[in-house]
Amino acid sequence: MECKSDERGFFARSWCRQEFESHGLNSNLAQCSVSFNHLRGTLRGMHYQAAPHGEAKLIRCTRGSIFDVAIDLRPSSPTFKQWTSATLSSENRRMLYVPEGCAHGFLTLEDNCEVFYQISEFYAPEAGRGVRWNDAAFGILWPGEVRVISSRDASYPDFA
């Protein structure tokens, strides 16, 4: 995101279909969603949608800060079962792109965090899947204690 600054503040383009396409990224935009999280230490994830409903996501934290994680679950990928992360905050305005076939989740680093998602496909509840946030198969190094998590997210089985 390139900011053009002046005495008023700044203006920046946060998404451009042509730019995404030029980098070989999915440029479809089917829906946008917001997640609000009351407490620091809230973990959401690790979620994905099974084919043919796979979603590419562009995630940005618009209030507070999060530790955002993507896990590559594509068996033919050279980074299969590897994870990447980024600290996203309203201060740094960074975004994370998560391609189809990758699980996504985050841990809030402060109270009252809001997360904005741009998503390439419509939500299909029957295609909803997940992997466990603390599965040894991935070895994610979370930067803080998980204090709030849904029973669904806490109980995914070991990754095969």
Side-chain angles (χ1 to χ4, degrees), residues 1-49:
M1 181 167 76
E2 290 183 35
C3 293
K4 297 189 187 318
S5 299
D6 64 20
E7 65 278 355
R8 300 168 292 174
F10 74 86
F11 181 84
R13 181 176 57 202
S14 63
W15 185 84
C16 174
R17 181 177 51 230
Q18 289 175 331
E19 191 170 332
F20 268 54
E21 290 171 354
S22 74
H23 292 284
L25 302 177
N26 185 335
S27 65
N28 292 335
L29 182 56
Q31 63 185 35
C32 297
S33 298
V34 173
S35 165
F36 181 80
N37 309 275
H38 293 287
L39 300 174
R40 187 183 101 217
T42 299
L43 191 133
R44 289 185 184 254
M46 303 297 296
H47 306 140
Y48 67 98
Q49 284 200 163

Side-chain angles (χ1 to χ4, degrees), residues 47-48 64-66 89 92 119 125 128 134 141 147 152:
H47 306 140
Y48 67 98
S65 60
I66 63 171
S89 72
N92 69 22
I119 307 167
N134 61 351
L141 302 174
R147 297 177 179 174
R152 180 189 68 163

Side-chain angles (χ1 to χ4, degrees), residues 106-148:
F106 62 84
L107 179 69
T108 59
L109 301 177
E110 54 190 282
D111 292 344
N112 299 315
C113 290
E114 184 176 87
V115 181
F116 181 73
Y117 300 73
Q118 291 173 267
I119 307 167
S120 67
E121 296 297 328
F122 296 105
Y123 178 64
E126 70 281 5
R129 305 283 190 279
V131 296
R132 205 175 60 256
W133 65 279
N134 61 351
D135 192 324
F138 310 116
I140 300 169
L141 302 174
W142 297 97
E145 179 185 354
V146 174
R147 297 177 179 174
V148 180

